[in-house]
Amino acid sequence: MPTPRRRRSVLPLTLSATALLVPLATACSGSTSDAQGADGGRRLRVVMAFPPAQAMSPYGDDAVTLSRLAVIEGLTTLGRDGAAAPALAASWKRDSAKEWTFTLRDATFQDGTKVDPAAVVRSLTAARKASPKPRVLSDTGLTATAHGADTVRIVTDEADPLLPQRLANPSLTILSAAAYTGGKADPAGHATGPFTLAAVNGAVSATLERNDTYWGTKAKAPGADVTFVADGTARANALRTEAVDVAEYVPISQASLLGDALVHEFPSARTNGLSLNTAHGVFADPAMRAAAREAIDSKALVKAVYEGRADTAQGLLGPGVPWAADARTAPAGRAKAADKAQVAKTDEIVLATYTNRPELPEVATVVQQQLTRRGFTVKQVVRDYAQLEADALAGKYDAFIQARNTLLDTADPVSYLASDFTCDGSFNISQLCDRRVDAAVNKAAGATTTDTRHAAAAAAEAGVLSTDALVPLLHERFVQGYDDSRVQGVSLDPLERTLITADTHVG
């Protein structure tokens, strides 16, 4: 059995931890000494895990941060089931395979200007022309034009049944005309969400104020003071000492130490998987891939590394994809696994993973032990993700462990299946090229109704699993930190797009 993970002791606020928390405590002290808003409400104190990387540009990962802080909105939003719901568009209809009409609601930007068709066209055109282009537009193109006083016509390059879900992506946020200066898009004061981004202090902190002209339910908190702290232990200590009200992404190593009153875990759409190189080396042999699959003990991984705060592998799509369990079909035609004696004759394999997600190096160690027991000789490579990605995509590793969001940019797994497992996939670390898998993914991509799309995606999942190109290890749970006896309205979102909402408040 794998060696159980050794529990870490509670860290005192040593010099290094204190140094990390000094700017945090300062930034989270609020606009007044007692963190009270001008109207007497309590300002939120929030610590986020990922500092801005592109000066809060909506065209990169900062867009997700802005969405999680309830600053920006698009034409649509996503419900808990991943279906599109109204946001700045009150309604929409599909006019043809490539044409859609969206009717806008009565809303104003945070700078007081009106949300009108011209603003929508401007924002969507800017996103389409942005460099680099937002990922959500990497596999499609769209053209928006104004029609009348409150409608926008959107035409896609190809038939796109997921356009309403696509438009909910944070990178397709709608901003006012004043946001677009100097070739950049600045959301500060120019978005439509319940909170206005009032100030950004580089990669250290940000200040939010309530948007009193918001078209929906007004924010219950008068504002929020946000600090960005990459160190997970520092975030946990800030929560423990009540320096913050909400701590994003509490590390598994700290969750048990904080206790259930401060820790809230829930299923995610993120699957940790072992990608096996199907084109070169030991795992080009399907029998060796099958042997690796049989070697993996998901329950032991969940217990040893995640201390029970994860879900055992169920497939590519875990419990964070609510319809997957009912739609799933069993993979057929898997190769017979090589026995231990056959495995022992193979060359050494290189197993790689990255340090950016703190649990993955520990996962790699347990997986190495499990593969070794099956007869494989395993060498580990563990580095920062940026140092590994190019080699992984080029097929230079035999096996690669990653945590992958299976719903990606449109809350639909088909784009994930296409990018990771088809011959022309842009993120095909397993180097898989199987005509049956390609056909199944293409069929899923063409499905237009929800039920047929789910069934086709499940069939494509079974096709991928039958190749053993990826061995599912486990399904992560997200762990957010807040004291639910003091803080209400925090969003526990499997899609990772919301955290602070208009309902979030201390009281």
Short mmCIF file of all heavy atoms in Angstrom, two decimals, residues 73 280 298 496:
data_model
loop_
_atom_site.label_atom_id
_atom_site.label_comp_id
_atom_site.label_asym_id
_atom_site.label_seq_id
_atom_site.Cartn_x
_atom_site.Cartn_y
_atom_site.Cartn_z
N GLU A 73 -19.69 40.72 -16.79
CA GLU A 73 -20.79 39.86 -17.27
C GLU A 73 -20.74 39.80 -18.79
O GLU A 73 -20.23 40.69 -19.45
CB GLU A 73 -22.14 40.43 -16.85
CG GLU A 73 -22.38 40.47 -15.36
CD GLU A 73 -23.70 41.13 -15.03
OE1 GLU A 73 -23.96 42.25 -15.52
OE2 GLU A 73 -24.48 40.53 -14.28
N HIS A 280 4.88 6.58 -29.08
CA HIS A 280 6.30 6.24 -28.94
C HIS A 280 6.56 5.56 -27.60
O HIS A 280 5.88 5.82 -26.61
CB HIS A 280 7.18 7.50 -29.04
CG HIS A 280 6.92 8.34 -30.24
ND1 HIS A 280 7.29 7.98 -31.51
CD2 HIS A 280 6.28 9.53 -30.37
CE1 HIS A 280 6.92 8.90 -32.37
NE2 HIS A 280 6.30 9.86 -31.70
N SER A 298 -7.15 3.95 -7.55
CA SER A 298 -7.67 5.30 -7.33
C SER A 298 -8.00 5.54 -5.86
O SER A 298 -7.73 6.63 -5.32
CB SER A 298 -8.92 5.52 -8.19
OG SER A 298 -9.47 6.80 -7.98
N GLU A 496 -15.91 26.89 -11.70
CA GLU A 496 -14.84 27.81 -11.28
C GLU A 496 -15.05 29.24 -11.76
O GLU A 496 -14.10 30.04 -11.77
CB GLU A 496 -13.47 27.31 -11.76
CG GLU A 496 -13.07 25.95 -11.28
CD GLU A 496 -11.68 25.55 -11.76
OE1 GLU A 496 -10.70 26.13 -11.26
OE2 GLU A 496 -11.59 24.67 -12.62
#
